[in-house]
PDB file of all heavy atoms in Angstrom:
ATOM      1  N   TYR C  21       0.843  -1.192   0.000  1.00  0.00           N
ATOM      2  CA  TYR C  21       0.000   0.000   0.000  1.00  0.00           C
ATOM      3  C   TYR C  21       0.882   1.248   0.000  1.00  0.00           C
ATOM      4  O   TYR C  21       1.842   1.352   0.771  1.00  0.00           O
ATOM      5  CB  TYR C  21      -0.912   0.022   1.220  1.00  0.00           C
ATOM      6  CG  TYR C  21      -1.989  -1.039   1.193  1.00  0.00           C
ATOM      7  CD1 TYR C  21      -2.114  -1.961   2.231  1.00  0.00           C
ATOM      8  CD2 TYR C  21      -2.897  -1.107   0.139  1.00  0.00           C
ATOM      9  CE1 TYR C  21      -3.111  -2.927   2.217  1.00  0.00           C
ATOM     10  CE2 TYR C  21      -3.900  -2.066   0.121  1.00  0.00           C
ATOM     11  CZ  TYR C  21      -3.993  -2.980   1.156  1.00  0.00           C
ATOM     12  OH  TYR C  21      -4.976  -3.938   1.135  1.00  0.00           O
ATOM     13  N   ARG C  22       0.530   2.202  -0.847  1.00  0.00           N
ATOM     14  CA  ARG C  22       1.333   3.420  -0.963  1.00  0.00           C
ATOM     15  C   ARG C  22       1.454   4.167   0.371  1.00  0.00           C
ATOM     16  O   ARG C  22       2.513   4.696   0.696  1.00  0.00           O
ATOM     17  CB  ARG C  22       0.719   4.348  -2.024  1.00  0.00           C
ATOM     18  CG  ARG C  22       1.002   3.917  -3.450  1.00  0.00           C
ATOM     19  CD  ARG C  22       0.241   4.779  -4.442  1.00  0.00           C
ATOM     20  NE  ARG C  22      -1.173   4.412  -4.514  1.00  0.00           N
ATOM     21  CZ  ARG C  22      -2.070   5.025  -5.270  1.00  0.00           C
ATOM     22  NH1 ARG C  22      -1.701   6.057  -6.020  1.00  0.00           N
ATOM     23  NH2 ARG C  22      -3.328   4.633  -5.298  1.00  0.00           N
ATOM     24  N   GLU C  23       0.379   4.176   1.133  1.00  0.00           N
ATOM     25  CA  GLU C  23       0.394   4.969   2.364  1.00  0.00           C
ATOM     26  C   GLU C  23       1.351   4.420   3.414  1.00  0.00           C
ATOM     27  O   GLU C  23       1.695   5.125   4.380  1.00  0.00           O
ATOM     28  CB  GLU C  23      -1.024   5.037   2.951  1.00  0.00           C
ATOM     29  CG  GLU C  23      -1.588   3.682   3.364  1.00  0.00           C
ATOM     30  CD  GLU C  23      -2.985   3.800   3.947  1.00  0.00           C
ATOM     31  OE1 GLU C  23      -3.142   4.493   4.970  1.00  0.00           O
ATOM     32  OE2 GLU C  23      -3.911   3.195   3.368  1.00  0.00           O
ATOM     33  N   HIS C  24       1.808   3.165   3.243  1.00  0.00           N
ATOM     34  CA  HIS C  24       2.710   2.571   4.235  1.00  0.00           C
ATOM     35  C   HIS C  24       4.126   2.357   3.697  1.00  0.00           C
ATOM     36  O   HIS C  24       4.964   1.784   4.400  1.00  0.00           O
ATOM     37  CB  HIS C  24       2.156   1.222   4.702  1.00  0.00           C
ATOM     38  CG  HIS C  24       0.814   1.307   5.362  1.00  0.00           C
ATOM     39  ND1 HIS C  24       0.605   1.968   6.549  1.00  0.00           N
ATOM     40  CD2 HIS C  24      -0.403   0.818   4.988  1.00  0.00           C
ATOM     41  CE1 HIS C  24      -0.675   1.881   6.887  1.00  0.00           C
ATOM     42  NE2 HIS C  24      -1.309   1.197   5.948  1.00  0.00           N
ATOM     43  N   GLN C  25       4.403   2.839   2.500  1.00  0.00           N
ATOM     44  CA  GLN C  25       5.721   2.571   1.927  1.00  0.00           C
ATOM     45  C   GLN C  25       6.847   3.296   2.646  1.00  0.00           C
ATOM     46  O   GLN C  25       8.011   2.903   2.539  1.00  0.00           O
ATOM     47  CB  GLN C  25       5.717   2.922   0.432  1.00  0.00           C
ATOM     48  CG  GLN C  25       4.943   1.895  -0.396  1.00  0.00           C
ATOM     49  CD  GLN C  25       4.890   2.223  -1.871  1.00  0.00           C
ATOM     50  OE1 GLN C  25       5.363   3.288  -2.303  1.00  0.00           O
ATOM     51  NE2 GLN C  25       4.319   1.337  -2.664  1.00  0.00           N
ATOM     52  N   HIS C  26       6.515   4.331   3.403  1.00  0.00           N
ATOM     53  CA  HIS C  26       7.557   5.030   4.163  1.00  0.00           C
ATOM     54  C   HIS C  26       8.155   4.146   5.250  1.00  0.00           C
ATOM     55  O   HIS C  26       9.242   4.430   5.760  1.00  0.00           O
ATOM     56  CB  HIS C  26       6.978   6.311   4.788  1.00  0.00           C
ATOM     57  CG  HIS C  26       5.954   6.064   5.850  1.00  0.00           C
ATOM     58  ND1 HIS C  26       4.638   5.710   5.556  1.00  0.00           N
ATOM     59  CD2 HIS C  26       6.035   6.104   7.212  1.00  0.00           C
ATOM     60  CE1 HIS C  26       3.959   5.560   6.679  1.00  0.00           C
ATOM     61  NE2 HIS C  26       4.784   5.787   7.694  1.00  0.00           N
ATOM     62  N   LEU C  27       7.461   3.058   5.587  1.00  0.00           N
ATOM     63  CA  LEU C  27       7.989   2.100   6.572  1.00  0.00           C
ATOM     64  C   LEU C  27       8.963   1.106   5.935  1.00  0.00           C
ATOM     65  O   LEU C  27       9.551   0.295   6.627  1.00  0.00           O
ATOM     66  CB  LEU C  27       6.836   1.336   7.238  1.00  0.00           C
ATOM     67  CG  LEU C  27       5.831   2.180   8.016  1.00  0.00           C
ATOM     68  CD1 LEU C  27       4.707   1.308   8.543  1.00  0.00           C
ATOM     69  CD2 LEU C  27       6.521   2.920   9.163  1.00  0.00           C
ATOM     70  N   ARG C  28       9.097   1.133   4.622  1.00  0.00           N
ATOM     71  CA  ARG C  28      10.040   0.319   3.848  1.00  0.00           C
ATOM     72  C   ARG C  28       9.807  -1.192   3.988  1.00  0.00           C
ATOM     73  O   ARG C  28      10.740  -1.972   4.180  1.00  0.00           O
ATOM     74  CB  ARG C  28      11.482   0.650   4.253  1.00  0.00           C
ATOM     75  CG  ARG C  28      11.840   2.109   4.085  1.00  0.00           C
ATOM     76  CD  ARG C  28      11.647   2.541   2.656  1.00  0.00           C
ATOM     77  NE  ARG C  28      12.006   3.965   2.471  1.00  0.00           N
ATOM     78  CZ  ARG C  28      11.873   4.616   1.339  1.00  0.00           C
ATOM     79  NH1 ARG C  28      11.378   3.990   0.282  1.00  0.00           N
ATOM     80  NH2 ARG C  28      12.225   5.877   1.251  1.00  0.00           N
ATOM     81  N   PRO C  29       8.538  -1.636   3.865  1.00  0.00           N
ATOM     82  CA  PRO C  29       8.281  -3.081   3.988  1.00  0.00           C
ATOM     83  C   PRO C  29       8.820  -3.884   2.813  1.00  0.00           C
ATOM     84  O   PRO C  29       9.147  -5.067   2.965  1.00  0.00           O
ATOM     85  CB  PRO C  29       6.757  -3.159   4.059  1.00  0.00           C
ATOM     86  CG  PRO C  29       6.300  -1.957   3.272  1.00  0.00           C
ATOM     87  CD  PRO C  29       7.288  -0.884   3.608  1.00  0.00           C
ATOM     88  N   ASN C  30       8.907  -3.276   1.619  1.00  0.00           N
ATOM     89  CA  ASN C  30       9.326  -4.039   0.441  1.00  0.00           C
ATOM     90  C   ASN C  30      10.765  -4.519   0.559  1.00  0.00           C
ATOM     91  O   ASN C  30      11.086  -5.668   0.241  1.00  0.00           O
ATOM     92  CB  ASN C  30       9.154  -3.187  -0.821  1.00  0.00           C
ATOM     93  CG  ASN C  30       7.706  -2.816  -1.058  1.00  0.00           C
ATOM     94  OD1 ASN C  30       6.817  -3.647  -0.941  1.00  0.00           O
ATOM     95  ND2 ASN C  30       7.453  -1.553  -1.371  1.00  0.00           N
ATOM     96  N   GLU C  31      11.656  -3.638   1.013  1.00  0.00           N
ATOM     97  CA  GLU C  31      13.044  -4.043   1.195  1.00  0.00           C
ATOM     98  C   GLU C  31      13.165  -5.128   2.268  1.00  0.00           C
ATOM     99  O   GLU C  31      13.953  -6.067   2.139  1.00  0.00           O
ATOM    100  CB  GLU C  31      13.899  -2.834   1.567  1.00  0.00           C
ATOM    101  CG  GLU C  31      14.128  -1.863   0.428  1.00  0.00           C
ATOM    102  CD  GLU C  31      13.089  -0.755   0.377  1.00  0.00           C
ATOM    103  OE1 GLU C  31      11.981  -0.941   0.935  1.00  0.00           O
ATOM    104  OE2 GLU C  31      13.377   0.295  -0.233  1.00  0.00           O
ATOM    105  N   ALA C  32      12.362  -5.005   3.311  1.00  0.00           N
ATOM    106  CA  ALA C  32      12.393  -6.007   4.383  1.00  0.00           C
ATOM    107  C   ALA C  32      11.916  -7.364   3.872  1.00  0.00           C
ATOM    108  O   ALA C  32      12.454  -8.413   4.263  1.00  0.00           O
ATOM    109  CB  ALA C  32      11.533  -5.550   5.560  1.00  0.00           C
ATOM    110  N   LEU C  33      10.912  -7.372   3.003  1.00  0.00           N
ATOM    111  CA  LEU C  33      10.430  -8.626   2.420  1.00  0.00           C
ATOM    112  C   LEU C  33      11.519  -9.314   1.603  1.00  0.00           C
ATOM    113  O   LEU C  33      11.739 -10.528   1.733  1.00  0.00           O
ATOM    114  CB  LEU C  33       9.211  -8.356   1.534  1.00  0.00           C
ATOM    115  CG  LEU C  33       7.880  -8.074   2.226  1.00  0.00           C
ATOM    116  CD1 LEU C  33       6.867  -7.547   1.225  1.00  0.00           C
ATOM    117  CD2 LEU C  33       7.349  -9.324   2.910  1.00  0.00           C
ATOM    118  N   ILE C  34      12.217  -8.553   0.757  1.00  0.00           N
ATOM    119  CA  ILE C  34      13.257  -9.142  -0.080  1.00  0.00           C
ATOM    120  C   ILE C  34      14.399  -9.664   0.776  1.00  0.00           C
ATOM    121  O   ILE C  34      14.914 -10.775   0.529  1.00  0.00           O
ATOM    122  CB  ILE C  34      13.790  -8.103  -1.096  1.00  0.00           C
ATOM    123  CG1 ILE C  34      12.680  -7.717  -2.082  1.00  0.00           C
ATOM    124  CG2 ILE C  34      14.999  -8.653  -1.850  1.00  0.00           C
ATOM    125  CD1 ILE C  34      12.173  -8.860  -2.933  1.00  0.00           C
ATOM    126  N   TRP C  35      14.810  -8.922   1.784  1.00  0.00           N
ATOM    127  CA  TRP C  35      15.908  -9.376   2.646  1.00  0.00           C
ATOM    128  C   TRP C  35      15.532 -10.667   3.369  1.00  0.00           C
ATOM    129  O   TRP C  35      16.350 -11.595   3.487  1.00  0.00           O
ATOM    130  CB  TRP C  35      16.270  -8.272   3.635  1.00  0.00           C
ATOM    131  CG  TRP C  35      17.381  -8.610   4.594  1.00  0.00           C
ATOM    132  CD1 TRP C  35      17.373  -8.434   5.941  1.00  0.00           C
ATOM    133  CD2 TRP C  35      18.679  -9.145   4.284  1.00  0.00           C
ATOM    134  NE1 TRP C  35      18.556  -8.826   6.492  1.00  0.00           N
ATOM    135  CE2 TRP C  35      19.389  -9.278   5.491  1.00  0.00           C
ATOM    136  CE3 TRP C  35      19.295  -9.539   3.093  1.00  0.00           C
ATOM    137  CZ2 TRP C  35      20.688  -9.783   5.563  1.00  0.00           C
ATOM    138  CZ3 TRP C  35      20.585 -10.056   3.151  1.00  0.00           C
ATOM    139  CH2 TRP C  35      21.272 -10.171   4.366  1.00  0.00           C
ATOM    140  N   HIS C  36      14.299 -10.781   3.827  1.00  0.00           N
ATOM    141  CA  HIS C  36      13.844 -12.017   4.463  1.00  0.00           C
ATOM    142  C   HIS C  36      13.880 -13.174   3.463  1.00  0.00           C
ATOM    143  O   HIS C  36      14.335 -14.271   3.792  1.00  0.00           O
ATOM    144  CB  HIS C  36      12.424 -11.840   4.998  1.00  0.00           C
ATOM    145  CG  HIS C  36      11.917 -13.027   5.761  1.00  0.00           C
ATOM    146  ND1 HIS C  36      11.951 -13.110   7.135  1.00  0.00           N
ATOM    147  CD2 HIS C  36      11.371 -14.211   5.334  1.00  0.00           C
ATOM    148  CE1 HIS C  36      11.465 -14.273   7.526  1.00  0.00           C
ATOM    149  NE2 HIS C  36      11.089 -14.959   6.449  1.00  0.00           N
ATOM    150  N   ALA C  37      13.416 -12.914   2.236  1.00  0.00           N
ATOM    151  CA  ALA C  37      13.398 -13.965   1.207  1.00  0.00           C
ATOM    152  C   ALA C  37      14.810 -14.439   0.867  1.00  0.00           C
ATOM    153  O   ALA C  37      15.047 -15.640   0.699  1.00  0.00           O
ATOM    154  CB  ALA C  37      12.700 -13.444  -0.051  1.00  0.00           C
ATOM    155  N   LEU C  38      15.757 -13.518   0.762  1.00  0.00           N
ATOM    156  CA  LEU C  38      17.132 -13.898   0.440  1.00  0.00           C
ATOM    157  C   LEU C  38      17.715 -14.815   1.518  1.00  0.00           C
ATOM    158  O   LEU C  38      18.352 -15.831   1.205  1.00  0.00           O
ATOM    159  CB  LEU C  38      18.006 -12.643   0.296  1.00  0.00           C
ATOM    160  CG  LEU C  38      17.676 -11.682  -0.855  1.00  0.00           C
ATOM    161  CD1 LEU C  38      18.621 -10.491  -0.838  1.00  0.00           C
ATOM    162  CD2 LEU C  38      17.748 -12.391  -2.195  1.00  0.00           C
ATOM    163  N   ARG C  39      17.496 -14.459   2.758  1.00  0.00           N
ATOM    164  CA  ARG C  39      18.035 -15.287   3.850  1.00  0.00           C
ATOM    165  C   ARG C  39      17.321 -16.632   3.922  1.00  0.00           C
ATOM    166  O   ARG C  39      17.948 -17.662   4.180  1.00  0.00           O
ATOM    167  CB  ARG C  39      17.914 -14.534   5.179  1.00  0.00           C
ATOM    168  CG  ARG C  39      18.882 -13.345   5.279  1.00  0.00           C
ATOM    169  CD  ARG C  39      18.714 -12.608   6.591  1.00  0.00           C
ATOM    170  NE  ARG C  39      17.418 -11.941   6.643  1.00  0.00           N
ATOM    171  CZ  ARG C  39      16.831 -11.558   7.777  1.00  0.00           C
ATOM    172  NH1 ARG C  39      17.399 -11.785   8.939  1.00  0.00           N
ATOM    173  NH2 ARG C  39      15.666 -10.956   7.746  1.00  0.00           N
ATOM    174  N   TRP C  40      16.019 -16.627   3.696  1.00  0.00           N
ATOM    175  CA  TRP C  40      15.242 -17.871   3.725  1.00  0.00           C
ATOM    176  C   TRP C  40      15.742 -18.821   2.644  1.00  0.00           C
ATOM    177  O   TRP C  40      15.954 -20.005   2.890  1.00  0.00           O
ATOM    178  CB  TRP C  40      13.767 -17.538   3.511  1.00  0.00           C
ATOM    179  CG  TRP C  40      12.806 -18.668   3.698  1.00  0.00           C
ATOM    180  CD1 TRP C  40      12.089 -18.964   4.823  1.00  0.00           C
ATOM    181  CD2 TRP C  40      12.422 -19.651   2.722  1.00  0.00           C
ATOM    182  NE1 TRP C  40      11.290 -20.053   4.622  1.00  0.00           N
ATOM    183  CE2 TRP C  40      11.471 -20.514   3.329  1.00  0.00           C
ATOM    184  CE3 TRP C  40      12.777 -19.893   1.408  1.00  0.00           C
ATOM    185  CZ2 TRP C  40      10.882 -21.590   2.668  1.00  0.00           C
ATOM    186  CZ3 TRP C  40      12.210 -20.969   0.739  1.00  0.00           C
ATOM    187  CH2 TRP C  40      11.268 -21.806   1.362  1.00  0.00           C
ATOM    188  N   ALA C  41      15.925 -18.299   1.433  1.00  0.00           N
ATOM    189  CA  ALA C  41      16.378 -19.123   0.317  1.00  0.00           C
ATOM    190  C   ALA C  41      17.789 -19.641   0.554  1.00  0.00           C
ATOM    191  O   ALA C  41      18.078 -20.827   0.328  1.00  0.00           O
ATOM    192  CB  ALA C  41      16.320 -18.316  -0.978  1.00  0.00           C
ATOM    193  N   LYS C  42      18.671 -18.781   0.989  1.00  0.00           N
ATOM    194  CA  LYS C  42      20.058 -19.195   1.239  1.00  0.00           C
ATOM    195  C   LYS C  42      20.111 -20.308   2.284  1.00  0.00           C
ATOM    196  O   LYS C  42      20.889 -21.261   2.158  1.00  0.00           O
ATOM    197  CB  LYS C  42      20.887 -17.998   1.707  1.00  0.00           C
ATOM    198  CG  LYS C  42      22.353 -18.325   1.972  1.00  0.00           C
ATOM    199  CD  LYS C  42      23.140 -17.078   2.321  1.00  0.00           C
ATOM    200  CE  LYS C  42      24.563 -17.447   2.685  1.00  0.00           C
ATOM    201  NZ  LYS C  42      25.265 -18.125   1.567  1.00  0.00           N
ATOM    202  N   GLY C  43      19.271 -20.214   3.295  1.00  0.00           N
ATOM    203  CA  GLY C  43      19.240 -21.229   4.343  1.00  0.00           C
ATOM    204  C   GLY C  43      18.776 -22.589   3.866  1.00  0.00           C
ATOM    205  O   GLY C  43      18.975 -23.593   4.558  1.00  0.00           O
ATOM    206  N   ARG C  44      18.164 -22.641   2.687  1.00  0.00           N
ATOM    207  CA  ARG C  44      17.691 -23.911   2.123  1.00  0.00           C
ATOM    208  C   ARG C  44      18.519 -24.363   0.931  1.00  0.00           C
ATOM    209  O   ARG C  44      18.092 -25.207   0.152  1.00  0.00           O
ATOM    210  CB  ARG C  44      16.213 -23.778   1.755  1.00  0.00           C
ATOM    211  CG  ARG C  44      15.331 -23.827   3.001  1.00  0.00           C
ATOM    212  CD  ARG C  44      14.006 -23.126   2.826  1.00  0.00           C
ATOM    213  NE  ARG C  44      13.243 -23.185   4.078  1.00  0.00           N
ATOM    214  CZ  ARG C  44      13.468 -22.392   5.124  1.00  0.00           C
ATOM    215  NH1 ARG C  44      14.422 -21.483   5.070  1.00  0.00           N
ATOM    216  NH2 ARG C  44      12.735 -22.512   6.221  1.00  0.00           N
ATOM    217  N   GLY C  45      19.695 -23.785   0.786  1.00  0.00           N
ATOM    218  CA  GLY C  45      20.612 -24.229  -0.258  1.00  0.00           C
ATOM    219  C   GLY C  45      20.377 -23.631  -1.623  1.00  0.00           C
ATOM    220  O   GLY C  45      21.017 -24.043  -2.598  1.00  0.00           O
ATOM    221  N   VAL C  46      19.451 -22.677  -1.725  1.00  0.00           N
ATOM    222  CA  VAL C  46      19.224 -21.999  -3.001  1.00  0.00           C
ATOM    223  C   VAL C  46      20.423 -21.090  -3.276  1.00  0.00           C
ATOM    224  O   VAL C  46      20.906 -20.393  -2.377  1.00  0.00           O
ATOM    225  CB  VAL C  46      17.920 -21.180  -2.957  1.00  0.00           C
ATOM    226  CG1 VAL C  46      17.736 -20.365  -4.225  1.00  0.00           C
ATOM    227  CG2 VAL C  46      16.729 -22.111  -2.755  1.00  0.00           C
ATOM    228  N   THR C  47      20.911 -21.097  -4.508  1.00  0.00           N
ATOM    229  CA  THR C  47      22.138 -20.353  -4.821  1.00  0.00           C
ATOM    230  C   THR C  47      21.912 -19.115  -5.682  1.00  0.00           C
ATOM    231  O   THR C  47      22.856 -18.381  -5.961  1.00  0.00           O
ATOM    232  CB  THR C  47      23.144 -21.266  -5.541  1.00  0.00           C
ATOM    233  OG1 THR C  47      22.551 -21.786  -6.745  1.00  0.00           O
ATOM    234  CG2 THR C  47      23.548 -22.426  -4.643  1.00  0.00           C
ATOM    235  N   GLU C  48      20.669 -18.873  -6.108  1.00  0.00           N
ATOM    236  CA  GLU C  48      20.410 -17.718  -6.965  1.00  0.00           C
ATOM    237  C   GLU C  48      19.017 -17.167  -6.700  1.00  0.00           C
ATOM    238  O   GLU C  48      18.060 -17.913  -6.548  1.00  0.00           O
ATOM    239  CB  GLU C  48      20.537 -18.116  -8.432  1.00  0.00           C
ATOM    240  CG  GLU C  48      20.311 -16.979  -9.415  1.00  0.00           C
ATOM    241  CD  GLU C  48      20.380 -17.433 -10.863  1.00  0.00           C
ATOM    242  OE1 GLU C  48      19.398 -18.049 -11.339  1.00  0.00           O
ATOM    243  OE2 GLU C  48      21.407 -17.198 -11.512  1.00  0.00           O
ATOM    244  N   PHE C  49      18.930 -15.843  -6.649  1.00  0.00           N
ATOM    245  CA  PHE C  49      17.646 -15.155  -6.541  1.00  0.00           C
ATOM    246  C   PHE C  49      17.447 -14.383  -7.837  1.00  0.00           C
ATOM    247  O   PHE C  49      18.288 -13.561  -8.215  1.00  0.00           O
ATOM    248  CB  PHE C  49      17.631 -14.200  -5.346  1.00  0.00           C
ATOM    249  CG  PHE C  49      16.309 -13.548  -5.092  1.00  0.00           C
ATOM    250  CD1 PHE C  49      15.396 -14.115  -4.210  1.00  0.00           C
ATOM    251  CD2 PHE C  49      15.964 -12.363  -5.722  1.00  0.00           C
ATOM    252  CE1 PHE C  49      14.164 -13.508  -3.971  1.00  0.00           C
ATOM    253  CE2 PHE C  49      14.744 -11.751  -5.493  1.00  0.00           C
ATOM    254  CZ  PHE C  49      13.838 -12.321  -4.609  1.00  0.00           C
ATOM    255  N   ASP C  50      16.338 -14.647  -8.521  1.00  0.00           N
ATOM    256  CA  ASP C  50      16.074 -14.053  -9.833  1.00  0.00           C
ATOM    257  C   ASP C  50      14.870 -13.128  -9.723  1.00  0.00           C
ATOM    258  O   ASP C  50      13.765 -13.564  -9.401  1.00  0.00           O
ATOM    259  CB  ASP C  50      15.810 -15.171 -10.848  1.00  0.00           C
ATOM    260  CG  ASP C  50      15.735 -14.672 -12.283  1.00  0.00           C
ATOM    261  OD1 ASP C  50      15.497 -13.471 -12.483  1.00  0.00           O
ATOM    262  OD2 ASP C  50      15.889 -15.498 -13.198  1.00  0.00           O
ATOM    263  N   PHE C  51      15.083 -11.842 -10.025  1.00  0.00           N
ATOM    264  CA  PHE C  51      13.999 -10.873  -9.971  1.00  0.00           C
ATOM    265  C   PHE C  51      13.064 -10.967 -11.174  1.00  0.00           C
ATOM    266  O   PHE C  51      12.036 -10.303 -11.215  1.00  0.00           O
ATOM    267  CB  PHE C  51      14.552  -9.454  -9.899  1.00  0.00           C
ATOM    268  CG  PHE C  51      14.871  -8.990  -8.500  1.00  0.00           C
ATOM    269  CD1 PHE C  51      16.178  -8.953  -8.038  1.00  0.00           C
ATOM    270  CD2 PHE C  51      13.858  -8.596  -7.647  1.00  0.00           C
ATOM    271  CE1 PHE C  51      16.468  -8.524  -6.751  1.00  0.00           C
ATOM    272  CE2 PHE C  51      14.133  -8.170  -6.364  1.00  0.00           C
ATOM    273  CZ  PHE C  51      15.446  -8.130  -5.911  1.00  0.00           C
ATOM    274  N   VAL C  52      13.410 -11.786 -12.167  1.00  0.00           N
ATOM    275  CA  VAL C  52      12.595 -11.976 -13.369  1.00  0.00           C
ATOM    276  C   VAL C  52      12.302 -10.625 -14.028  1.00  0.00           C
ATOM    277  O   VAL C  52      11.157 -10.247 -14.251  1.00  0.00           O
ATOM    278  CB  VAL C  52      11.282 -12.731 -13.059  1.00  0.00           C
ATOM    279  CG1 VAL C  52      10.620 -13.191 -14.359  1.00  0.00           C
ATOM    280  CG2 VAL C  52      11.549 -13.947 -12.188  1.00  0.00           C
ATOM    281  N   GLY C  53      13.348  -9.927 -14.344  1.00  0.00           N
ATOM    282  CA  GLY C  53      13.226  -8.630 -14.980  1.00  0.00           C
ATOM    283  C   GLY C  53      14.409  -7.765 -14.589  1.00  0.00           C
ATOM    284  O   GLY C  53      15.076  -8.033 -13.583  1.00  0.00           O
ATOM    285  N   GLY C  54      14.662  -6.744 -15.379  1.00  0.00           N
ATOM    286  CA  GLY C  54      15.854  -5.944 -15.145  1.00  0.00           C
ATOM    287  C   GLY C  54      15.602  -4.502 -14.799  1.00  0.00           C
ATOM    288  O   GLY C  54      16.405  -3.645 -15.146  1.00  0.00           O
ATOM    289  N   ASN C  55      14.494  -4.184 -14.128  1.00  0.00           N
ATOM    290  CA  ASN C  55      14.203  -2.790 -13.778  1.00  0.00           C
ATOM    291  C   ASN C  55      15.323  -2.195 -12.934  1.00  0.00           C
ATOM    292  O   ASN C  55      15.897  -2.873 -12.078  1.00  0.00           O
ATOM    293  CB  ASN C  55      12.876  -2.699 -13.020  1.00  0.00           C
ATOM    294  CG  ASN C  55      11.696  -3.050 -13.900  1.00  0.00           C
ATOM    295  OD1 ASN C  55      11.865  -3.288 -15.086  1.00  0.00           O
ATOM    296  ND2 ASN C  55      10.517  -3.095 -13.320  1.00  0.00           N
ATOM    297  N   SER C  56      15.595  -0.923 -13.148  1.00  0.00           N
ATOM    298  CA  SER C  56      16.742  -0.281 -12.504  1.00  0.00           C
ATOM    299  C   SER C  56      16.635  -0.274 -10.979  1.00  0.00           C
ATOM    300  O   SER C  56      17.655  -0.323 -10.288  1.00  0.00           O
ATOM    301  CB  SER C  56      16.898   1.148 -13.024  1.00  0.00           C
ATOM    302  OG  SER C  56      15.718   1.899 -12.786  1.00  0.00           O
ATOM    303  N   TYR C  57      15.420  -0.237 -10.428  1.00  0.00           N
ATOM    304  CA  TYR C  57      15.301  -0.155  -8.972  1.00  0.00           C
ATOM    305  C   TYR C  57      15.822  -1.404  -8.280  1.00  0.00           C
ATOM    306  O   TYR C  57      16.172  -1.378  -7.091  1.00  0.00           O
ATOM    307  CB  TYR C  57      13.842   0.107  -8.563  1.00  0.00           C
ATOM    308  CG  TYR C  57      12.962  -1.115  -8.497  1.00  0.00           C
ATOM    309  CD1 TYR C  57      12.869  -1.876  -7.330  1.00  0.00           C
ATOM    310  CD2 TYR C  57      12.221  -1.515  -9.601  1.00  0.00           C
ATOM    311  CE1 TYR C  57      12.056  -2.995  -7.270  1.00  0.00           C
ATOM    312  CE2 TYR C  57      11.405  -2.622  -9.546  1.00  0.00           C
ATOM    313  CZ  TYR C  57      11.324  -3.365  -8.379  1.00  0.00           C
ATOM    314  OH  TYR C  57      10.524  -4.481  -8.328  1.00  0.00           O
ATOM    315  N   LYS C  58      15.919  -2.521  -9.010  1.00  0.00           N
ATOM    316  CA  LYS C  58      16.389  -3.768  -8.411  1.00  0.00           C
ATOM    317  C   LYS C  58      17.897  -3.769  -8.176  1.00  0.00           C
ATOM    318  O   LYS C  58      18.408  -4.579  -7.403  1.00  0.00           O
ATOM    319  CB  LYS C  58      16.003  -4.944  -9.308  1.00  0.00           C
ATOM    320  CG  LYS C  58      14.498  -5.090  -9.472  1.00  0.00           C
ATOM    321  CD  LYS C  58      14.107  -6.064 -10.559  1.00  0.00           C
ATOM    322  CE  LYS C  58      12.595  -6.097 -10.741  1.00  0.00           C
ATOM    323  NZ  LYS C  58      12.159  -6.931 -11.867  1.00  0.00           N
ATOM    324  N   ALA C  59      18.612  -2.852  -8.845  1.00  0.00           N
ATOM    325  CA  ALA C  59      20.063  -2.815  -8.711  1.00  0.00           C
ATOM    326  C   ALA C  59      20.494  -2.522  -7.275  1.00  0.00           C
ATOM    327  O   ALA C  59      21.601  -2.891  -6.865  1.00  0.00           O
ATOM    328  CB  ALA C  59      20.646  -1.774  -9.659  1.00  0.00           C
TER     329      ALA C  59
END
């Protein structure tokens, strides 16, 4: 939701996903697209 983006939940979601995947032996995270904000 736009009104809550100042709390930065999106970055927190991705960081949780990266750690979760790494903990299960996953070696690559693919954003399925090359938008500049993902850099």
Side-chain angles (χ1 to χ4, degrees):
Y21 291 124
R22 283 174 283 178
E23 63 180 300
H24 299 295
Q25 286 179 355
H26 67 282
L27 299 176
R28 303 302 181 183
N30 297 315
E31 288 92 338
L33 285 168
I34 295 297
W35 180 229
H36 184 98
L38 295 179
R39 289 179 292 160
W40 188 96
K42 181 175 176 60
R44 284 155 182 79
V46 175
T47 58
E48 181 183 77
F49 185 93
D50 189 339
F51 274 103
V52 193
N55 293 356
S56 58
Y57 83 88
K58 298 169 184 175

